[in-house]
Amino acid sequence: MRKPIIAGNWKMNNTKAEAKVLIQELIPLVKNAESDVVICVPYTVIETAAALTKGTNIKVGAENVAWADKGAFTGEVSAQMLKEVGAEYVIIGHSERRQYFGETDDSVNKRTVQALKNGFTPIICVGETLDEREGGVTEQVCKRQIIGAYAGISASDAEKTVVAYEPVWAIGTGRTATSGQAQETISYIRGVLKELYGKTAEKVRIQYGGSMNPSNVSELMAQPDIDGGLIGGASLKAADFSKVVNYK
């Protein structure tokens, strides 16, 4: 059995003071969770979040990681820097990074390799745009992104990763893939992982990342291949995020 994983993606939200209030409210609400609970927060908040969640069941992650150890990469943050302030997870290849900041399948791969090398759990994002879904190429897009992300990565390392399927058209729009659509695509993604890694694919947790919230989480999590969620807007309110975490 794959243990469910619910991860919040705060995106560019919350100062240290705001984060402190949210995390302190969240801790008692999720303390009995049966899922792994992760909050991926802005770089400036990681150290605060790690300190506040120490000794709890909440783990802290970053929203990206550089592919190099150090060097002339203005604006990037290295794995060692993230480790020093307490991050354990890292989101890689989120659609907003691809759309606004030029992330490619190749850069996603390089960042994933770096995250694994430094002991992080990467949450690797894949998913199609609305034009791609309507054009009938969802599977081709997801396959290309998975093959690109996992290039050169061993089965033993692949087992340590998490995949987040996030249909781009369902992020921040209030639109959500039906549970059937989500299951169908996530099952396909697991099939691609099986082509790459055989039985190891059954151990890789795959999240749904398109507007999962308290009203649809139970139906989505009932699907056999959906192992959790990468939660955007609903992770910014402790009450909403805890309802997703405690979906049963």
Side-chain angles (χ1 to χ4, degrees):
M1 290 290 292
R2 297 180 296 270
K3 186 176 182 180
I5 175 170
I6 306 294
N9 175 16
W10 286 12
K11 307 187 180 184
M12 196 175 69
N13 292 290
N14 291 330
T15 62
K16 287 184 182 180
E18 291 166 336
K20 184 176 181 180
V21 172
L22 175 52
I23 292 168
Q24 288 177 331
E25 187 180 350
L26 181 64
I27 288 170
L29 297 177
V30 301
K31 65 180 181 180
N32 297 317
E34 296 180 16
S35 307
D36 284 338
V37 184
V38 183
I39 51 172
C40 295
V41 304
Y43 295 134
T44 54
V45 178
I46 292 172
E47 193 164 18
T48 298
L52 289 168
T53 57
K54 188 175 182 179
T56 75
N57 62 323
I58 300 173
K59 301 297 184 182
V60 176
E63 297 176 17
N64 204 356
V65 63
W67 60 70
D69 291 331
K70 61 174 67 175
F73 300 100
T74 301
E76 289 287 312
V77 178
S78 75
Q80 284 299 313
M81 293 171 183
L82 296 177
K83 187 177 290 187
E84 184 179 51
V85 291
E88 297 182 56
Y89 287 73
V90 61
I91 297 171
I92 299 175
H94 190 279
S95 63
E96 289 158 3
R97 297 298 312 176
R98 295 177 190 260
Q99 181 179 355
Y100 301 125
F101 303 104
E103 293 282 7
T104 64
D105 295 341
D106 182 57
S107 68
V108 168
N109 174 249
K110 289 178 180 177
R111 294 181 195 274
T112 301
V113 168
Q114 185 73 351
L116 288 165
K117 185 177 81 171
N118 285 278
F120 290 93
T121 299
I123 299 174
I124 302 165
C125 301
V126 300
E128 80 284 5
T129 64
L130 182 59
D131 285 346
E132 288 166 342
R133 173 160 283 272
E134 291 180 342
V137 294
T138 294
E139 291 185 351
Q140 292 95 311
V141 169
C142 290
K143 184 171 187 175
R144 186 201 77 225
Q145 291 175 339
I146 287 289
I147 290 173
Y150 283 88
I153 291 173
S154 68
S156 59
D157 273 345
E159 189 177 327
K160 302 169 189 173
T161 67
V162 176
V163 174
Y165 166 59
E166 40 160 34
V168 180
W169 48 272
I171 298 171
T173 63
R175 297 180 63 176
T176 309
T178 65
S179 56
Q181 286 174 321
Q183 164 60 26
E184 181 181 24
T185 305
I186 288 174
S187 175
Y188 175 79
I189 290 168
R190 195 176 302 285
V192 176
L193 289 169
K194 283 180 183 176
E195 291 176 17
L196 296 175
Y197 298 112
K199 292 182 179 179
T200 295
E202 292 297 337
K203 299 178 182 179
V204 177
R205 293 181 291 181
I206 307 179
Q207 300 172 311
Y208 174 70
S211 298
M212 183 183 278
N213 57 58
S215 66
N216 61 28
V217 59
S218 294
E219 184 180 353
L220 286 162
M221 290 300 295
Q223 303 304 311
D225 283 293
I226 298 180
D227 304 315
L230 182 59
I231 316 301
S235 71
L236 299 175
K237 296 179 180 178
D240 287 350
F241 189 56
S242 66
K243 287 175 184 174
V244 175
V245 169
N246 300 312
Y247 63 91
K248 289 185 178 178

